[in-house]
Amino acid sequence: MFCTSCKKFLGEKSTQNQAIPETLVDLQALLDQYQVLNYVDGNAAEISTDDVYLNDADLGARPENERNMYTWQRSNIFLQDGNEWFYNYRAINRTNVVLEAIAKIGKTAGNAAEWDNVSGQAYFIRAKNHLRGLYIWGNAYGEQSQSDLGVPLRLGSDFNVPSVRATVAQGYAQVVSDLQRAVQALPLKAVHVMRPSKPAAYGLLARVYLSMRKYELAKLYADSCLSLKADLLDYNSLNAAASYPIGQFNVEVLQDSYFTSPMLNNARGKINPELYALYEANDLRKVVFFSDNKNGTYGFKGSYEGNSNFFSGVAVNEVLLIRSECLARAGRLSEALADLNRLLRNRYKKNTLIDRAGSDQQAVLADILLERRKELLLRGLRWVDVKRLNMENAGISFSKSYKGVIYQLKANSTGFALPIPERVIEVAGLPQNP
């Protein structure tokens, strides 16, 4: 299944061009079209945060919708066609086609392993895309989620079925249900990390429950993931001077996907100086993640894609930090610090890390959350992290400036649920976010 070309990672069968998929081979080919399923994750969650800023000249040169998204306007932030909503639901529709077709094929003793694998991949991908929609267009999960509007849950391929915004609670319940099915069906190891596996599904479940602030369950699924795969990349082995030091498909990657953003790449996007200042001198991330623009600003070069695209898949370092945070919240500080120190020993210059220690729960938790921000930047996670932490009175607000005007997004603002593309509202008749 492996291909030597950097552009093609999985063998795509010629049968994918058939109008009607009829075999498991056909269905696998549909799921292996990575241009539709792996490499179209949206960038709105990152453009809307504060980790990267643009100067007036660079921002002024971008299209109006991108400037509007950057400054948290409530209209015209997405293109009318080919926008994040479209790519999200195109992927979901693909998985629904697969799930409907596989039900007609039926599971037998002879095809059970392949049947399970294909169905598990479809459930994983559908869950991942519905989850991303909830992160962008829904409010943070909480007591109000039984009534707050989330995103439509498309569970069939019939486009004649009207779209209706489910509640945030219904959305998360569907994501969990799909991922639990994926866990049962997926193999321990995929033929390639372009495809999801059981550890990847466990890791994504841990992310889901962290977003819901159900920390005991997040820890449970992080445990399940790390018991199967817990490899860490030692940053001492990397060439920090390289244009992109971290290789694609490295040992930490559980499932690979990415998003692109001309706004955020290191030709335009500058790292927030306050974020850059958080990294200590012996922290290798300071040179592995960032390129020095020689003018007092820094760009980002630390993607797990090994290029200018932004990794948005599931990886061991994220899952380890999830478990560390959940252990700290449960008061199991020594275990939480053991996970944190294991990560940091692979991030600092050899023999320079002074192991993190402490007996104050809030101080340990704050340290872990700080490392989470430093480790997982530009992965599409900070947006939902801020939303869930603000539910716990973190009071995190964003501020940006453009042409002398200061724009702010206050903690717990309705602006943390982005407006749905106007074309979708017009065609589907969905209620818009305020």
Side-chain angles (χ1 to χ4, degrees):
M1 296 300 294
F2 290 94
C3 300
T4 55
S5 169
C6 65
K7 296 293 184 183
K8 195 162 185 169
F9 310 111
L10 291 165
E12 295 182 17
K13 312 295 190 295
S14 60
T15 49
Q16 80 175 55
N17 295 319
Q18 294 177 353
I20 301 174
E22 296 178 339
T23 69
L24 292 175
V25 172
D26 296 341
L27 301 182
Q28 184 63 70
L30 289 174
L31 296 175
D32 282 342
Q33 193 173 2
Y34 54 87
Q35 303 96 327
V36 173
L37 299 180
N38 295 74
Y39 289 169
V40 288
D41 288 357
N43 56 35
E46 282 300 338
I47 292 174
S48 300
T49 65
D50 61 344
D51 283 348
V52 173
Y53 74 94
L54 274 71
N55 62 34
D56 284 0
D58 285 333
L59 184 58
R62 301 307 302 163
E64 181 183 2
N65 70 289
E66 291 186 1
R67 296 198 303 272
N68 289 345
M69 182 180 292
Y70 181 85
T71 55
W72 308 298
Q73 304 304 302
R74 299 308 294 170
S75 64
N76 188 27
I77 70 169
F78 293 103
L79 294 173
Q80 292 303 295
D81 298 297
N83 53 49
E84 190 160 331
W85 186 280
F86 165 78
Y87 290 119
N88 224 35
Y89 281 98
R90 182 177 65 168
I92 289 170
N93 185 69
R94 173 70 61 91
T95 65
N96 288 330
V97 168
V98 169
L99 290 170
E100 290 166 356
I102 203 170
K104 296 175 182 177
I105 293 172
K107 182 177 176 180
T108 68
N111 72 7
E114 186 179 5
W115 196 98
D116 282 344
N117 191 2
V118 169
S119 64
Q121 292 172 59
Y123 281 120
F124 178 97
I125 296 165
R126 188 170 76 178
K128 184 172 180 285
N129 283 273
H130 276 137
L131 180 66
R132 191 165 65 247
L134 287 165
Y135 283 175
I136 300 302
W137 292 289
N139 289 329
Y141 188 90
E143 293 179 359
Q144 77 291 348
S145 295
Q146 297 292 339
S147 56
D148 280 352
L149 291 181
V151 294
L153 300 174
R154 301 296 300 188
L155 306 179
S157 65
D158 185 355
F159 60 83
N160 292 302
V161 176
S163 287
V164 178
R165 290 186 71 178
T167 67
V168 170
Q170 290 169 334
Y172 274 95
Q174 184 62 52
V175 168
V176 168
S177 175
D178 279 355
L179 285 176
Q180 287 174 338
R181 291 188 178 195
V183 160
Q184 296 300 316
L186 287 169
L188 291 175
K189 185 176 182 179
V191 297
H192 195 284
V193 292
M194 296 290 289
R195 294 181 185 173
S197 61
K198 196 180 295 292
Y202 279 133
L204 191 54
L205 267 168
R207 180 191 294 177
V208 172
Y209 279 119
L210 188 78
S211 306
M212 299 171 75
R213 296 165 35 243
K214 295 188 176 183
Y215 298 116
E216 184 176 346
L217 288 169
K219 187 264 180 189
L220 173 68
Y221 285 108
D223 275 342
S224 297
C225 172
L226 296 170
S227 70
L228 298 175
K229 182 168 171 49
D231 307 83
L232 285 176
L233 180 64
D234 185 352
Y235 281 20
N236 286 278
S237 68
L238 302 178
N239 176 14
S243 297
Y244 297 99
I246 305 173
Q248 191 178 31
F249 312 138
N250 66 72
V251 297
E252 291 185 13
V253 175
L254 298 167
Q255 188 270 336
D256 184 75
S257 56
Y258 72 63
F259 64 91
T260 61
S261 177
M263 278 189 76
L264 300 178
N265 67 30
N266 56 20
R268 299 180 184 88
K270 312 297 191 297
I271 295 297
N272 183 331
E274 294 179 2
L275 174 59
Y276 180 77
L278 296 175
Y279 297 84
E280 297 176 341
N282 289 324
D283 189 339
L284 290 169
R285 292 173 297 187
K286 195 163 191 172
V287 288
V288 168
F289 282 179
F290 306 118
S291 55
D292 188 345
N293 295 325
K294 308 301 182 183
N295 60 3
T297 68
Y298 296 86
F300 180 71
K301 63 173 185 175
S303 172
Y304 275 28
E305 291 301 318
N307 53 39
S308 61
N309 298 316
F310 297 94
F311 178 79
S312 55
V314 187
V316 169
N317 59 345
E318 177 193 353
V319 181
L320 192 63
L321 283 165
I322 290 173
R323 187 170 72 177
S324 181
E325 177 182 341
C326 295
L327 286 167
R329 290 182 181 276
R332 298 163 62 176
L333 302 187
S334 61
E335 296 169 87
L337 289 166
D339 277 347
L340 181 63
N341 286 321
R342 176 172 178 252
L343 174 71
L344 295 180
R345 278 192 287 272
N346 286 277
R347 299 301 185 253
Y348 275 63
K349 293 178 183 178
K350 281 192 179 299
N351 303 318
T352 65
L353 176 70
I354 300 174
D355 278 356
R356 305 295 168 80
S359 57
D360 181 273
Q361 183 179 22
Q362 291 308 309
V364 170
L365 179 59
D367 199 9
I368 293 166
L369 291 173
L370 178 63
E371 292 302 330
R372 178 177 173 86
R373 186 182 181 196
K374 291 161 61 180
E375 180 73 13
L376 304 178
L377 72 164
L378 289 162
R379 292 196 186 182
L381 296 174
R382 176 155 171 79
W383 182 249
V384 70
D385 273 353
V386 169
K387 289 165 75 166
R388 63 144 173 132
L389 292 172
N390 279 344
M391 294 289 286
E392 300 182 350
N393 301 313
I396 302 171
S397 300
F398 295 148
S399 179
K400 296 176 181 176
S401 66
Y402 178 51
K403 292 186 175 179
V405 178
I406 302 299
Y407 298 89
Q408 291 186 317
L409 186 64
K410 297 292 184 66
N412 296 312
S413 163
T414 57
F416 276 99
L418 296 187
I420 294 170
E422 286 84 355
R423 180 65 173 160
V424 175
I425 299 297
E426 175 188 343
V427 173
L430 300 177
Q432 179 62 283
N433 287 328

PDB file of all heavy atoms in Angstrom, residues 32-57:
ATOM      1  N   ASP A  32      -9.840   6.237   0.603  1.00  0.00           N
ATOM      2  CA  ASP A  32      -8.421   6.529   0.398  1.00  0.00           C
ATOM      3  C   ASP A  32      -8.187   7.790  -0.426  1.00  0.00           C
ATOM      4  O   ASP A  32      -7.043   8.136  -0.694  1.00  0.00           O
ATOM      5  CB  ASP A  32      -7.729   5.349  -0.290  1.00  0.00           C
ATOM      6  CG  ASP A  32      -7.421   4.214   0.667  1.00  0.00           C
ATOM      7  OD1 ASP A  32      -7.425   4.442   1.890  1.00  0.00           O
ATOM      8  OD2 ASP A  32      -7.177   3.082   0.192  1.00  0.00           O
ATOM      9  N   GLN A  33      -9.244   8.477  -0.839  1.00  0.00           N
ATOM     10  CA  GLN A  33      -9.066   9.711  -1.593  1.00  0.00           C
ATOM     11  C   GLN A  33      -8.750  10.837  -0.619  1.00  0.00           C
ATOM     12  O   GLN A  33      -9.604  11.587  -0.165  1.00  0.00           O
ATOM     13  CB  GLN A  33     -10.303  10.039  -2.425  1.00  0.00           C
ATOM     14  CG  GLN A  33     -10.022  11.127  -3.456  1.00  0.00           C
ATOM     15  CD  GLN A  33     -11.179  11.350  -4.400  1.00  0.00           C
ATOM     16  OE1 GLN A  33     -12.229  10.728  -4.273  1.00  0.00           O
ATOM     17  NE2 GLN A  33     -11.001  12.247  -5.352  1.00  0.00           N
ATOM     18  N   TYR A  34      -7.487  10.947  -0.295  1.00  0.00           N
ATOM     19  CA  TYR A  34      -7.064  11.815   0.789  1.00  0.00           C
ATOM     20  C   TYR A  34      -7.301  13.288   0.488  1.00  0.00           C
ATOM     21  O   TYR A  34      -7.418  14.098   1.399  1.00  0.00           O
ATOM     22  CB  TYR A  34      -5.588  11.569   1.129  1.00  0.00           C
ATOM     23  CG  TYR A  34      -4.635  11.690  -0.041  1.00  0.00           C
ATOM     24  CD1 TYR A  34      -4.101  12.918  -0.403  1.00  0.00           C
ATOM     25  CD2 TYR A  34      -4.258  10.574  -0.775  1.00  0.00           C
ATOM     26  CE1 TYR A  34      -3.228  13.032  -1.468  1.00  0.00           C
ATOM     27  CE2 TYR A  34      -3.388  10.670  -1.840  1.00  0.00           C
ATOM     28  CZ  TYR A  34      -2.870  11.899  -2.189  1.00  0.00           C
ATOM     29  OH  TYR A  34      -2.018  12.015  -3.241  1.00  0.00           O
ATOM     30  N   GLN A  35      -7.399  13.642  -0.808  1.00  0.00           N
ATOM     31  CA  GLN A  35      -7.670  15.042  -1.145  1.00  0.00           C
ATOM     32  C   GLN A  35      -9.056  15.474  -0.675  1.00  0.00           C
ATOM     33  O   GLN A  35      -9.313  16.664  -0.495  1.00  0.00           O
ATOM     34  CB  GLN A  35      -7.563  15.257  -2.650  1.00  0.00           C
ATOM     35  CG  GLN A  35      -6.228  14.857  -3.246  1.00  0.00           C
ATOM     36  CD  GLN A  35      -6.253  13.446  -3.817  1.00  0.00           C
ATOM     37  OE1 GLN A  35      -6.955  12.570  -3.304  1.00  0.00           O
ATOM     38  NE2 GLN A  35      -5.489  13.229  -4.876  1.00  0.00           N
ATOM     39  N   VAL A  36      -9.949  14.519  -0.459  1.00  0.00           N
ATOM     40  CA  VAL A  36     -11.312  14.805  -0.010  1.00  0.00           C
ATOM     41  C   VAL A  36     -11.456  14.615   1.493  1.00  0.00           C
ATOM     42  O   VAL A  36     -12.195  15.354   2.148  1.00  0.00           O
ATOM     43  CB  VAL A  36     -12.325  13.911  -0.757  1.00  0.00           C
ATOM     44  CG1 VAL A  36     -13.740  14.061  -0.186  1.00  0.00           C
ATOM     45  CG2 VAL A  36     -12.315  14.228  -2.249  1.00  0.00           C
ATOM     46  N   LEU A  37     -10.727  13.652   2.049  1.00  0.00           N
ATOM     47  CA  LEU A  37     -10.968  13.268   3.438  1.00  0.00           C
ATOM     48  C   LEU A  37      -9.862  13.665   4.415  1.00  0.00           C
ATOM     49  O   LEU A  37     -10.133  13.882   5.594  1.00  0.00           O
ATOM     50  CB  LEU A  37     -11.189  11.754   3.518  1.00  0.00           C
ATOM     51  CG  LEU A  37     -12.392  11.227   2.731  1.00  0.00           C
ATOM     52  CD1 LEU A  37     -12.515   9.727   2.882  1.00  0.00           C
ATOM     53  CD2 LEU A  37     -13.666  11.897   3.187  1.00  0.00           C
ATOM     54  N   ASN A  38      -8.629  13.741   3.980  1.00  0.00           N
ATOM     55  CA  ASN A  38      -7.526  14.015   4.901  1.00  0.00           C
ATOM     56  C   ASN A  38      -7.003  15.444   4.840  1.00  0.00           C
ATOM     57  O   ASN A  38      -6.569  15.987   5.857  1.00  0.00           O
ATOM     58  CB  ASN A  38      -6.340  13.074   4.637  1.00  0.00           C
ATOM     59  CG  ASN A  38      -6.658  11.623   4.911  1.00  0.00           C
ATOM     60  OD1 ASN A  38      -7.359  10.982   4.139  1.00  0.00           O
ATOM     61  ND2 ASN A  38      -6.135  11.091   6.016  1.00  0.00           N
ATOM     62  N   TYR A  39      -7.045  16.030   3.663  1.00  0.00           N
ATOM     63  CA  TYR A  39      -6.282  17.256   3.469  1.00  0.00           C
ATOM     64  C   TYR A  39      -7.151  18.471   3.178  1.00  0.00           C
ATOM     65  O   TYR A  39      -6.781  19.356   2.407  1.00  0.00           O
ATOM     66  CB  TYR A  39      -5.267  17.051   2.346  1.00  0.00           C
ATOM     67  CG  TYR A  39      -4.125  16.124   2.747  1.00  0.00           C
ATOM     68  CD1 TYR A  39      -3.233  15.629   1.828  1.00  0.00           C
ATOM     69  CD2 TYR A  39      -3.953  15.749   4.086  1.00  0.00           C
ATOM     70  CE1 TYR A  39      -2.188  14.778   2.217  1.00  0.00           C
ATOM     71  CE2 TYR A  39      -2.924  14.906   4.475  1.00  0.00           C
ATOM     72  CZ  TYR A  39      -2.050  14.431   3.542  1.00  0.00           C
ATOM     73  OH  TYR A  39      -1.030  13.600   3.920  1.00  0.00           O
ATOM     74  N   VAL A  40      -8.307  18.540   3.825  1.00  0.00           N
ATOM     75  CA  VAL A  40      -9.198  19.686   3.641  1.00  0.00           C
ATOM     76  C   VAL A  40      -9.743  20.184   4.978  1.00  0.00           C
ATOM     77  O   VAL A  40     -10.777  20.837   5.026  1.00  0.00           O
ATOM     78  CB  VAL A  40     -10.363  19.338   2.682  1.00  0.00           C
ATOM     79  CG1 VAL A  40      -9.881  19.219   1.251  1.00  0.00           C
ATOM     80  CG2 VAL A  40     -11.066  18.062   3.124  1.00  0.00           C
ATOM     81  N   ASP A  41      -9.068  19.876   6.075  1.00  0.00           N
ATOM     82  CA  ASP A  41      -9.511  20.420   7.362  1.00  0.00           C
ATOM     83  C   ASP A  41      -9.458  21.947   7.292  1.00  0.00           C
ATOM     84  O   ASP A  41      -8.571  22.527   6.665  1.00  0.00           O
ATOM     85  CB  ASP A  41      -8.621  19.909   8.494  1.00  0.00           C
ATOM     86  CG  ASP A  41      -8.864  18.439   8.804  1.00  0.00           C
ATOM     87  OD1 ASP A  41      -9.762  17.837   8.191  1.00  0.00           O
ATOM     88  OD2 ASP A  41      -8.161  17.896   9.677  1.00  0.00           O
ATOM     89  N   GLY A  42     -10.393  22.591   7.939  1.00  0.00           N
ATOM     90  CA  GLY A  42     -10.514  24.036   7.809  1.00  0.00           C
ATOM     91  C   GLY A  42      -9.528  24.814   8.662  1.00  0.00           C
ATOM     92  O   GLY A  42      -8.948  24.306   9.626  1.00  0.00           O
ATOM     93  N   ASN A  43      -9.341  26.081   8.300  1.00  0.00           N
ATOM     94  CA  ASN A  43      -8.383  26.939   9.007  1.00  0.00           C
ATOM     95  C   ASN A  43      -9.042  28.003   9.882  1.00  0.00           C
ATOM     96  O   ASN A  43      -8.360  28.789  10.531  1.00  0.00           O
ATOM     97  CB  ASN A  43      -7.440  27.622   8.020  1.00  0.00           C
ATOM     98  CG  ASN A  43      -8.182  28.425   6.953  1.00  0.00           C
ATOM     99  OD1 ASN A  43      -9.224  29.014   7.217  1.00  0.00           O
ATOM    100  ND2 ASN A  43      -7.629  28.462   5.740  1.00  0.00           N
ATOM    101  N   ALA A  44     -10.387  28.045   9.907  1.00  0.00           N
ATOM    102  CA  ALA A  44     -11.071  29.120  10.637  1.00  0.00           C
ATOM    103  C   ALA A  44     -10.713  29.139  12.114  1.00  0.00           C
ATOM    104  O   ALA A  44     -10.594  30.199  12.728  1.00  0.00           O
ATOM    105  CB  ALA A  44     -12.582  28.982  10.467  1.00  0.00           C
ATOM    106  N   ALA A  45     -10.529  27.947  12.702  1.00  0.00           N
ATOM    107  CA  ALA A  45     -10.231  27.872  14.135  1.00  0.00           C
ATOM    108  C   ALA A  45      -8.880  28.488  14.467  1.00  0.00           C
ATOM    109  O   ALA A  45      -8.663  28.934  15.591  1.00  0.00           O
ATOM    110  CB  ALA A  45     -10.274  26.415  14.613  1.00  0.00           C
ATOM    111  N   GLU A  46      -7.965  28.507  13.508  1.00  0.00           N
ATOM    112  CA  GLU A  46      -6.654  29.105  13.773  1.00  0.00           C
ATOM    113  C   GLU A  46      -6.619  30.582  13.411  1.00  0.00           C
ATOM    114  O   GLU A  46      -6.054  31.395  14.133  1.00  0.00           O
ATOM    115  CB  GLU A  46      -5.555  28.358  13.019  1.00  0.00           C
ATOM    116  CG  GLU A  46      -5.155  27.056  13.679  1.00  0.00           C
ATOM    117  CD  GLU A  46      -4.627  27.233  15.101  1.00  0.00           C
ATOM    118  OE1 GLU A  46      -4.178  28.341  15.454  1.00  0.00           O
ATOM    119  OE2 GLU A  46      -4.678  26.266  15.865  1.00  0.00           O
ATOM    120  N   ILE A  47      -7.226  30.947  12.286  1.00  0.00           N
ATOM    121  CA  ILE A  47      -7.250  32.364  11.916  1.00  0.00           C
ATOM    122  C   ILE A  47      -7.932  33.182  13.009  1.00  0.00           C
ATOM    123  O   ILE A  47      -7.578  34.339  13.268  1.00  0.00           O
ATOM    124  CB  ILE A  47      -7.967  32.545  10.564  1.00  0.00           C
ATOM    125  CG1 ILE A  47      -7.121  31.929   9.439  1.00  0.00           C
ATOM    126  CG2 ILE A  47      -8.238  34.013  10.268  1.00  0.00           C
ATOM    127  CD1 ILE A  47      -7.801  31.930   8.087  1.00  0.00           C
ATOM    128  N   SER A  48      -8.894  32.568  13.710  1.00  0.00           N
ATOM    129  CA  SER A  48      -9.684  33.273  14.712  1.00  0.00           C
ATOM    130  C   SER A  48      -9.007  33.364  16.071  1.00  0.00           C
ATOM    131  O   SER A  48      -9.524  34.038  16.969  1.00  0.00           O
ATOM    132  CB  SER A  48     -11.045  32.585  14.874  1.00  0.00           C
ATOM    133  OG  SER A  48     -11.756  32.578  13.661  1.00  0.00           O
ATOM    134  N   THR A  49      -7.863  32.690  16.261  1.00  0.00           N
ATOM    135  CA  THR A  49      -7.196  32.739  17.558  1.00  0.00           C
ATOM    136  C   THR A  49      -6.107  33.807  17.577  1.00  0.00           C
ATOM    137  O   THR A  49      -5.985  34.622  16.660  1.00  0.00           O
ATOM    138  CB  THR A  49      -6.599  31.377  17.936  1.00  0.00           C
ATOM    139  OG1 THR A  49      -5.548  31.042  17.018  1.00  0.00           O
ATOM    140  CG2 THR A  49      -7.650  30.286  17.918  1.00  0.00           C
ATOM    141  N   ASP A  50      -5.278  33.761  18.616  1.00  0.00           N
ATOM    142  CA  ASP A  50      -4.287  34.814  18.827  1.00  0.00           C
ATOM    143  C   ASP A  50      -2.848  34.329  18.737  1.00  0.00           C
ATOM    144  O   ASP A  50      -1.934  35.082  19.070  1.00  0.00           O
ATOM    145  CB  ASP A  50      -4.506  35.453  20.200  1.00  0.00           C
ATOM    146  CG  ASP A  50      -4.355  34.449  21.347  1.00  0.00           C
ATOM    147  OD1 ASP A  50      -4.392  33.223  21.079  1.00  0.00           O
ATOM    148  OD2 ASP A  50      -4.217  34.881  22.501  1.00  0.00           O
ATOM    149  N   ASP A  51      -2.623  33.109  18.281  1.00  0.00           N
ATOM    150  CA  ASP A  51      -1.251  32.606  18.244  1.00  0.00           C
ATOM    151  C   ASP A  51      -0.434  33.235  17.122  1.00  0.00           C
ATOM    152  O   ASP A  51       0.789  33.318  17.202  1.00  0.00           O
ATOM    153  CB  ASP A  51      -1.235  31.077  18.092  1.00  0.00           C
ATOM    154  CG  ASP A  51      -1.557  30.365  19.397  1.00  0.00           C
ATOM    155  OD1 ASP A  51      -1.566  31.039  20.452  1.00  0.00           O
ATOM    156  OD2 ASP A  51      -1.796  29.147  19.368  1.00  0.00           O
ATOM    157  N   VAL A  52      -1.117  33.670  16.056  1.00  0.00           N
ATOM    158  CA  VAL A  52      -0.444  34.273  14.906  1.00  0.00           C
ATOM    159  C   VAL A  52      -1.104  35.616  14.604  1.00  0.00           C
ATOM    160  O   VAL A  52      -2.317  35.759  14.711  1.00  0.00           O
ATOM    161  CB  VAL A  52      -0.535  33.346  13.679  1.00  0.00           C
ATOM    162  CG1 VAL A  52       0.011  34.033  12.432  1.00  0.00           C
ATOM    163  CG2 VAL A  52       0.225  32.042  13.933  1.00  0.00           C
ATOM    164  N   TYR A  53      -0.303  36.601  14.237  1.00  0.00           N
ATOM    165  CA  TYR A  53      -0.849  37.892  13.830  1.00  0.00           C
ATOM    166  C   TYR A  53      -0.279  38.273  12.470  1.00  0.00           C
ATOM    167  O   TYR A  53       0.759  37.757  12.031  1.00  0.00           O
ATOM    168  CB  TYR A  53      -0.534  38.976  14.868  1.00  0.00           C
ATOM    169  CG  TYR A  53       0.906  39.430  14.875  1.00  0.00           C
ATOM    170  CD1 TYR A  53       1.322  40.546  14.143  1.00  0.00           C
ATOM    171  CD2 TYR A  53       1.876  38.736  15.615  1.00  0.00           C
ATOM    172  CE1 TYR A  53       2.640  40.959  14.141  1.00  0.00           C
ATOM    173  CE2 TYR A  53       3.196  39.147  15.621  1.00  0.00           C
ATOM    174  CZ  TYR A  53       3.577  40.253  14.878  1.00  0.00           C
ATOM    175  OH  TYR A  53       4.887  40.655  14.865  1.00  0.00           O
ATOM    176  N   LEU A  54      -0.966  39.182  11.787  1.00  0.00           N
ATOM    177  CA  LEU A  54      -0.502  39.736  10.517  1.00  0.00           C
ATOM    178  C   LEU A  54      -0.312  41.236  10.677  1.00  0.00           C
ATOM    179  O   LEU A  54      -1.096  41.897  11.372  1.00  0.00           O
ATOM    180  CB  LEU A  54      -1.504  39.469   9.394  1.00  0.00           C
ATOM    181  CG  LEU A  54      -1.394  38.132   8.653  1.00  0.00           C
ATOM    182  CD1 LEU A  54      -1.830  36.992   9.555  1.00  0.00           C
ATOM    183  CD2 LEU A  54      -2.207  38.128   7.369  1.00  0.00           C
ATOM    184  N   ASN A  55       0.706  41.771  10.016  1.00  0.00           N
ATOM    185  CA  ASN A  55       0.852  43.223  10.019  1.00  0.00           C
ATOM    186  C   ASN A  55      -0.156  43.823   9.048  1.00  0.00           C
ATOM    187  O   ASN A  55      -0.818  43.123   8.275  1.00  0.00           O
ATOM    188  CB  ASN A  55       2.291  43.649   9.706  1.00  0.00           C
ATOM    189  CG  ASN A  55       2.759  43.206   8.321  1.00  0.00           C
ATOM    190  OD1 ASN A  55       1.980  43.163   7.369  1.00  0.00           O
ATOM    191  ND2 ASN A  55       4.044  42.893   8.205  1.00  0.00           N
ATOM    192  N   ASP A  56      -0.309  45.134   9.094  1.00  0.00           N
ATOM    193  CA  ASP A  56      -1.337  45.794   8.304  1.00  0.00           C
ATOM    194  C   ASP A  56      -1.171  45.541   6.810  1.00  0.00           C
ATOM    195  O   ASP A  56      -2.162  45.341   6.084  1.00  0.00           O
ATOM    196  CB  ASP A  56      -1.320  47.304   8.568  1.00  0.00           C
ATOM    197  CG  ASP A  56      -1.950  47.671   9.902  1.00  0.00           C
ATOM    198  OD1 ASP A  56      -2.404  46.746  10.615  1.00  0.00           O
ATOM    199  OD2 ASP A  56      -1.982  48.869  10.235  1.00  0.00           O
ATOM    200  N   ALA A  57       0.063  45.552   6.334  1.00  0.00           N
ATOM    201  CA  ALA A  57       0.286  45.370   4.896  1.00  0.00           C
ATOM    202  C   ALA A  57      -0.124  43.975   4.455  1.00  0.00           C
ATOM    203  O   ALA A  57      -0.815  43.806   3.434  1.00  0.00           O
ATOM    204  CB  ALA A  57       1.752  45.630   4.564  1.00  0.00           C
TER     205      ALA A  57
END
